[in-house]
Amino acid sequence: MVNETNIYTVITGASSGIGYETAKAFASCGKNVIIIARRKEKLAKLKKEILEKYPSVKVIVKATDLTKSKNVYQLYDELKSYQLETWVNNAGFGNYGSVAEQSLEKVESMIHLNIEALTLFSTLFVHDYKDIEGTQLINVSSCGGYTIVPTAVTYCATKFYVSTFTEGLARELNSSNAKMQAKVLAPAATKTEFGKIANDVTEYDYDKLFGTYHTSEQMADFLMQLYNSDKVVGAVNRETFEFKMFAPLFDYAGNSSHNQKL
């Protein structure tokens, strides 16, 4: 029997925004958490905040740069001594600007984080835990992972990858009768550090530039609704900002007579 005191939920990108509030939301449910991000001081603040409110919860801090693939593998190896129950791939950032004018250095880091790190962590976690009851993988995409947004073409492309990869994985797990569930969360505008980083600015006024948006706390609540459901997709409507949950949205060629025959 697994000792429940050694069962953990992993959240990447936990130093701010949705990841920060998601870690607190899982802790409020009595879940031990492993919080991951680059900024160690922000993670220490989150740990202190959680333990002050939920002293019986265990909090493990892992500070690392996930844009480097070697760090992804090293970190996963470090977690092998823990029993993992849920993995939330939340780490990611955006980029506003035309394709012709975008910084290739920034785009390269964005692809490494939004796509590569997420894919590696997902694959490692599914390989080790797909047949364990109650396990979940939740990948954070964006409404820009279902709609192409002007001046954010490359960012949206990374999130289309997240959405299609996760929906496809969910179908694959279901068809193989695996016990793990894979789910994708697609936020719309959320008041986080996203705007500053995506626009390379030090100040960003969500009230002025968006008018309508969700808070990080609201998005963490939506994520928990998805976690507690049997749906695959939890998405915010970009126009109405209504949150709904769905079965997979992308077309799937599962029954096509033109699929590869093995």
Side-chain angles (χ1 to χ4, degrees):
M1 177 178 288
V2 176
N3 181 355
E4 291 191 1
T5 61
N6 199 42
I7 299 176
Y8 286 82
T9 293
V10 177
I11 302 112
T12 70
S15 61
S16 66
I18 296 171
Y20 195 96
E21 296 302 328
T22 295
K24 292 197 291 183
F26 273 104
S28 74
C29 298
K31 302 291 187 181
N32 300 320
V33 293
I34 298 173
I35 50 177
I36 302 166
R38 287 181 299 111
R39 296 175 294 183
K40 191 172 184 178
E41 70 283 358
K42 296 282 188 179
L43 294 176
K45 177 177 178 290
L46 174 57
K47 178 177 181 177
K48 182 173 183 289
E49 194 172 333
I50 290 173
L51 292 180
E52 284 176 350
K53 199 165 186 180
Y54 312 106
S56 63
V57 167
K58 293 182 179 179
V59 181
I60 306 297
V61 169
K62 293 288 184 180
T64 189
D65 180 359
L66 298 179
T67 65
K68 313 295 183 187
S69 58
K70 66 178 183 179
N71 293 349
V72 172
Y73 287 111
Q74 181 179 331
L75 177 60
Y76 192 82
D77 282 341
E78 291 174 5
L79 301 186
K80 287 186 175 179
S81 60
Y82 305 100
Q83 177 73 25
L84 307 181
E85 182 178 58
T86 303
W87 191 294
V88 180
N89 276 315
N90 168 71
F93 66 88
N95 181 54
Y96 281 115
S98 70
V99 172
E101 301 297 328
Q102 64 188 1
S103 160
L104 286 177
E105 183 179 3
K106 184 178 181 182
V107 166
E108 185 177 7
S109 292
M110 182 172 68
I111 290 170
H112 283 314
L113 185 59
N114 294 12
I115 295 178
E116 184 180 65
L118 178 140
T119 305
L120 294 176
F121 277 142
S122 296
T123 303
L124 290 163
F125 183 58
V126 170
H127 178 270
D128 290 345
Y129 287 92
K130 67 182 177 67
D131 294 317
I132 297 177
E133 193 70 47
T135 52
Q136 289 196 40
L137 170 70
I138 301 176
N139 287 333
V140 178
S141 179
S142 166
C143 64
Y146 291 93
T147 303
I148 300 172
V149 179
T151 72
V153 171
T154 307
Y155 168 70
C156 287
T158 69
K159 291 302 187 176
F160 264 86
Y161 176 89
V162 174
S163 298
T164 54
F165 171 75
T166 310
E167 285 195 18
L169 174 58
R171 290 185 182 273
E172 185 176 283
L173 291 169
N174 184 60
S175 64
S176 65
N177 295 315
K179 294 178 180 178
M180 178 183 288
Q181 294 176 287
K183 301 175 180 179
V184 57
L185 181 74
T190 306
K191 190 176 182 180
T192 66
E193 295 180 352
F194 180 92
K196 292 181 184 179
I197 296 170
N199 290 280
D200 297 313
V201 295
T202 56
E203 297 296 330
Y204 194 83
D205 188 336
Y206 273 85
D207 291 311
K208 178 181 177 181
L209 295 165
F210 275 100
T212 304
Y213 54 83
H214 286 117
T215 65
S216 298
E217 292 91 340
Q218 287 174 310
M219 281 311 309
D221 178 66
F222 294 155
L223 187 148
M224 297 307 292
Q225 289 181 43
L226 180 63
Y227 170 78
N228 288 311
S229 80
D230 61 356
K231 299 298 185 182
V232 171
V233 180
V236 175
N237 184 297
R238 193 169 182 268
E239 300 304 320
T240 67
F241 278 77
E242 184 180 5
F243 177 72
K244 289 186 177 180
M245 292 181 285
F246 309 90
L249 299 174
F250 285 108
D251 289 338
Y252 185 65
N255 297 318
S256 173
S257 60
H258 300 290
N259 292 340
Q260 174 180 264
K261 296 175 178 62
L262 297 175

